[in-house]
Amino acid sequence: MTSYPEWWKLVFGRFTLEALPLHEPILVVTFIAVALGGLALVALVTWLKAWGYLWNEWITSVDHKKIGIMYMILGIIMLLRGFADALMMRGQQAIAFGGSDGYLPPHHYDQIFTAHGVIMIFFVAMPLVTGLMNFVMPLQIGARDVAFPFLNNFSFWMTVGGAVLVMASLFIGEFARTGWLAYPPLSGAAYSPGVGVDYYLWGLQIAGVGTTLSGVNLIATIVKMRAPGMDLMRMPVFTWTALCTNVLIVATFPILAATLALLTLDRYVGTNFFTSDLGGNPMMYVNLIWIWGHPEVYILILPVFGIYSEVAATFCGKRLFGYGSMVYATVVITILSYLVWLHHFFTMGSGASVNSFFGITTMIISIPTGAKIFNWLFTMYRGRIRFELPMMWLVAFMLTFVIGGMTGVMLAVPPADFVLHNSLFLVAHFHNVIIGGVVFGLFAGIAYWFPKAFGFKLDPFWGKLSFWFWVVGFYVAFMPLYVLGLMGVTRRLSRFDDPSLQIWFVVAAIGAVLILLGILCFLVQIAVSIMRREELRDTTGDPWDGRTLEWSTSSPPPAYNFAFTPIIHDLDAWADMKKRGYRRPLTGFRPIHMPRNTSAGVILAGLATICGFALIWYVWWLAALSFAGLLATAIAHTFNYDRDFHIPADEVLREEDSRSNLLTGA
């Protein structure tokens, strides 16, 4: 290794030219492709002279709808990166037999499966879920924006900052090789002395700040900003699931932050919280990380349950069956999600009584989840079902998720878990729940609310093509892993000795390719829909004959959402208003108070990201400078009193008149 002078270490910390992965052809080709794509994008925006528009209308926006859309875009971009990792893993496992080492060196493979888990959970599923909650929930409760608009913008850009750090690890240094939860002692300084675990720690800490603040914001919005007459038992089910989700976020993400902070101290300062000597205990880390980790699964799935409830009621043309039981089931799941974390480490010697308690609570939590499935089925019973794309996702979910639930109950039995733990059966179960539950639901939500966000529907042909590739691809990709798990094949291995196993991995790789086709069809669907937007235009604001308040606005909604705050008299507020012969007010408009855009959020998040990068590489002067800039910007923002403005009444009148003209034309 090249010896570097002291001034280099002072300026660049532990960064060296060897940290650039020039010896990894896969990474070099990836870097060139990303660099060319980035340059092409910059050139396109410059050619369109769109920098000013992007800065003023999107980057600095505090509009919950635009922030929700940006969350969704971030999630889709990171899906492409996270799924590329999945394809590389499946390709490696399909060919690494009979003395072949495959095409990935072990240290690279370990980084890939760690990055895949981190990206898919933190930077795909979380942004997509948060984006839908951000966009839809304020509209559903009749609010003009969220409770703290600036905080919303800041939360989003902090999430982007975390994603940037994780992506930077691909080309500068390395990522963690520990698995997505970074258990000690493997993640300690002794076993992972490089920058990989530090990228993990600071990327998650920065993104976690954004997620926590977003949770506080959305809880405050739901509790304090509902339209008159909308008491708790008149809230849409999606809003209920958003409330419970954000309660879980606020309760659990500080635990994650504290856990990662302790691990950071172990690595940076030399403390011994999670070592086996000097009073430390690695099992404390496992407990703490799963006290966050298992509620995190419900943070992802609960909003999706809300999406399915809205889809079922709308496309069956009737009120959701068992609304009260659906709400109580959601609350019960929220509480019970705190009482099951230990089933993730039954095999670690907690004792029979402890294992029995957590096995029983894990089985109990399946009861309210099962109740939801029956409610959706009874909503479909004798309903006038329209098999539009969101409804197709709901049916696929119910068939697929039941399999995931049953395998989960199997794993809840400690003796069975002793056999199946750390095998590919566990990988299949987890993906069964996350893909068959969360991802299917997110695609249902995107198809359902896309016309509300952009004013035109998604193209149905490419949507259905994507649907079938995803559903068939899921079964082809993950059913073989159930079989391999039952045969005792350990997860996280990059090569295998038994040639009889290869056919199962080849089938799983074919399934991954089918899912890739599903993702590509989804991207084509968006492109085709934009080109055909005039044919697919929604002029009514209510293309599905919806039942909740967001469908009472135009598509896309105006900046102020509602010219007059609606008055709620019943559950399914919009369906009730249509039934009563609701007429839109055409006169009497007043100026509307709105929050002003601000650049403080993106500047603060940018400084936090630079600070995180400097701490990863021990560039102490840059860390101190960026942290000082962070404090100075935050203090300066507190003196910014120009935070709001009024939309004039005549502008509101013009907006409402244009909608009237559309409705008349329709």
Side-chain angles (χ1 to χ4, degrees):
M1 180 176 282
T2 309
S3 178
Y4 287 84
E6 285 302 315
W7 67 264
W8 179 281
K9 295 175 184 175
L10 193 65
V11 175
F12 296 106
R14 55 177 169 170
F15 175 77
T16 63
L17 295 178
E18 286 82 6
L20 300 174
L22 302 175
H23 54 287
E24 297 271 8
I26 294 172
L27 292 180
V28 171
V29 171
T30 305
F31 176 75
I32 292 169
V34 170
L36 290 175
L39 287 171
L41 184 62
V42 169
L44 178 64
V45 174
T46 306
W47 181 68
L48 294 172
K49 299 178 181 176
W51 287 112
Y53 168 77
L54 286 175
W55 178 262
N56 294 320
E57 296 297 323
W58 289 89
I59 294 171
T60 62
S61 176
V62 296
D63 184 341
H64 73 95
K65 300 180 290 296
K66 289 181 177 177
I67 290 171
I69 291 167
M70 289 193 291
Y71 267 117
M72 303 293 287
I73 292 169
L74 171 66
I76 291 166
I77 291 170
M78 296 303 286
L79 171 66
L80 300 178
R81 161 70 206 279
F83 193 76
D85 289 339
L87 281 174
M88 292 175 73
M89 284 189 288
R90 285 287 160 262
Q92 166 69 18
Q93 289 184 322
I95 63 176
F97 281 88
S100 168
D101 287 337
Y103 69 99
L104 288 174
H107 73 278
H108 193 176
Y109 181 84
D110 292 349
Q111 289 179 61
I112 284 173
F113 75 66
T114 303
H116 171 72
V118 171
I119 288 169
M120 287 301 198
I121 295 295
F122 288 97
F123 301 111
V124 177
M126 283 299 293
L128 290 174
V129 162
T130 308
L132 281 174
M133 290 192 295
N134 244 300
F135 184 91
V136 176
M137 181 273 292
L139 289 166
Q140 283 199 334
I141 64 172
R144 292 213 164 106
D145 210 307
V146 294
F148 307 110
F150 158 71
L151 204 61
N152 206 15
N153 176 281
F154 175 62
S155 299
F156 167 71
W157 287 112
M158 288 294 278
T159 306
V160 172
V164 165
L165 283 182
V166 172
M167 294 293 276
S169 70
L170 188 63
F171 306 122
I172 307 172
E174 61 176 8
F175 197 60
R177 289 179 275 166
T178 56
W180 76 282
L181 288 176
Y183 283 2
L186 187 57
S187 56
Y191 291 92
S192 294
V195 296
V197 175
D198 300 321
Y199 266 117
Y200 172 91
L201 290 169
W202 292 108
L204 263 56
Q205 286 286 41
I206 289 169
V209 169
T211 304
T212 307
L213 294 177
S214 177
V216 172
N217 203 351
L218 296 182
I219 290 172
T221 305
I222 296 170
V223 170
K224 300 295 289 183
M225 298 182 68
R226 299 190 306 277
M230 184 179 281
D231 57 31
L232 289 175
M233 295 309 287
R234 285 180 181 166
M235 289 199 313
V237 175
F238 180 76
T239 301
W240 258 111
T241 58
L243 175 62
C244 291
T245 296
N246 287 292
V247 167
L248 281 175
I249 285 173
V250 171
T252 59
F253 267 80
I255 299 171
L256 175 67
T259 309
L260 297 181
L262 295 177
L263 181 57
T264 304
L265 289 172
D266 276 10
R267 290 181 58 82
Y268 279 69
V269 184
T271 54
N272 291 278
F273 291 107
F274 303 130
T275 58
S276 295
D277 45 52
L278 297 173
N281 185 356
M283 278 304 299
M284 182 168 72
Y285 181 92
V286 178
N287 268 288
L288 287 171
I289 203 77
W290 279 116
I291 289 170
W292 160 80
H294 198 83
E296 166 67 11
V297 176
Y298 291 94
I299 287 168
L300 298 178
I301 200 71
L302 281 177
V304 171
F305 286 166
I307 294 169
Y308 291 130
S309 298
E310 303 294 346
V311 166
T314 297
F315 292 99
C316 295
K318 57 187 281 199
R319 180 171 289 191
L320 183 71
F321 181 88
Y323 170 86
S325 63
M326 202 65 120
V327 169
Y328 295 131
T330 303
V331 174
V332 168
I333 289 171
T334 305
I335 296 166
L336 286 177
S337 68
Y338 263 102
L339 301 175
V340 297
W341 80 86
L342 201 125
H343 69 219
H344 290 276
F345 46 103
F346 277 149
T347 60
M348 294 192 186
S350 299
S353 56
V354 173
N355 284 355
S356 299
F357 173 83
F358 284 93
I360 292 165
T361 53
T362 303
M363 293 177 196
I364 290 172
I365 204 170
S366 66
I367 296 171
T369 309
K372 285 176 174 284
I373 298 281
F374 282 109
N375 280 349
W376 293 316
L377 285 171
F378 282 122
T379 304
M380 295 168 69
Y381 176 65
R382 301 189 73 176
R384 295 184 177 181
I385 302 174
R386 291 173 286 151
F387 279 104
E388 299 277 1
L389 186 57
M391 193 67 194
M392 292 169 64
W393 284 114
L394 169 59
V395 174
F397 152 76
M398 286 196 288
L399 294 171
T400 308
F401 193 76
V402 165
I403 298 170
M406 289 190 296
T407 55
V409 173
M410 283 175 63
L411 291 167
V413 181
D417 191 70
F418 268 73
V419 177
L420 297 169
H421 191 85
N422 221 33
S423 75
L424 287 170
F425 188 93
L426 199 68
V427 175
H429 160 69
F430 186 74
H431 285 81
N432 199 159
V433 172
I434 296 297
I435 294 179
V438 178
V439 175
F440 285 9
L442 289 168
F443 279 119
I446 290 169
Y448 183 55
W449 281 302
F450 191 92
K452 179 52 57 182
F454 296 102
F456 56 93
K457 290 183 179 181
L458 284 170
D459 180 78
F461 170 77
W462 285 101
K464 289 175 181 176
L465 209 57
S466 172
F467 167 84
W468 285 111
F469 275 129
W470 261 102
V471 174
V472 175
F474 164 77
Y475 281 96
V476 175
F478 291 101
M479 294 304 122
L481 299 194
Y482 276 126
V483 176
L484 287 165
L486 289 168
M487 292 163 68
V489 179
T490 308
R491 58 184 172 148
R492 295 179 174 174
L493 296 181
S494 61
R495 49 188 54 77
F496 303 89
D497 295 326
D498 185 352
S500 68
L501 302 176
Q502 185 169 15
I503 184 62
W504 297 101
F505 284 106
V506 170
V507 172
I510 292 169
V513 171
L514 291 175
I515 293 174
L516 172 65
L517 293 174
I519 295 172
L520 294 176
C521 285
F522 170 69
L523 297 176
V524 171
Q525 179 192 23
I526 292 174
V528 168
S529 303
I530 292 170
M531 290 188 289
R532 295 184 54 219
R533 60 187 177 277
E534 290 308 320
E535 292 175 56
L536 299 164
R537 179 75 61 194
D538 166 34
T539 56
T540 65
D542 187 14
W544 310 119
D545 191 19
R547 306 183 66 80
T548 44
L549 271 182
E550 72 270 27
W551 302 110
S552 68
T553 65
S554 59
S555 296
Y560 50 81
N561 290 351
F562 301 92
F564 293 100
T565 301
I567 309 296
I568 309 305
H569 299 283
D570 197 7
L571 179 64
D572 287 351
W574 178 231
D576 177 63
M577 290 159 76
K578 288 189 285 189
K579 186 179 173 182
R580 292 167 181 261
Y582 169 77
R583 291 178 179 274
R584 290 176 54 248
L586 302 175
T587 58
F589 301 112
R590 296 180 180 178
I592 294 175
H593 177 262
M594 294 295 291
R596 192 179 293 281
N597 290 357
T598 175
S599 60
V602 66
I603 293 170
L604 285 168
L607 288 168
T609 307
I610 293 168
C611 185
F613 186 81
L615 287 167
I616 289 163
W617 289 100
Y618 296 178
V619 186
W620 304 119
W621 64 269
L622 181 58
L625 203 63
S626 54
F627 186 72
L630 195 67
L631 289 177
T633 307
I635 292 168
H637 181 64
T638 64
F639 290 97
N640 172 23
Y641 299 114
D642 185 23
R643 297 188 181 207
D644 48 16
F645 69 103
H646 284 82
I647 299 176
D650 56 347
E651 194 174 318
V652 178
L653 178 62
R654 280 198 301 275
E655 184 77 41
E656 295 299 311
D657 279 350
S658 66
R659 188 183 180 203
S660 298
N661 294 336
L662 272 177
L663 289 170
T664 306

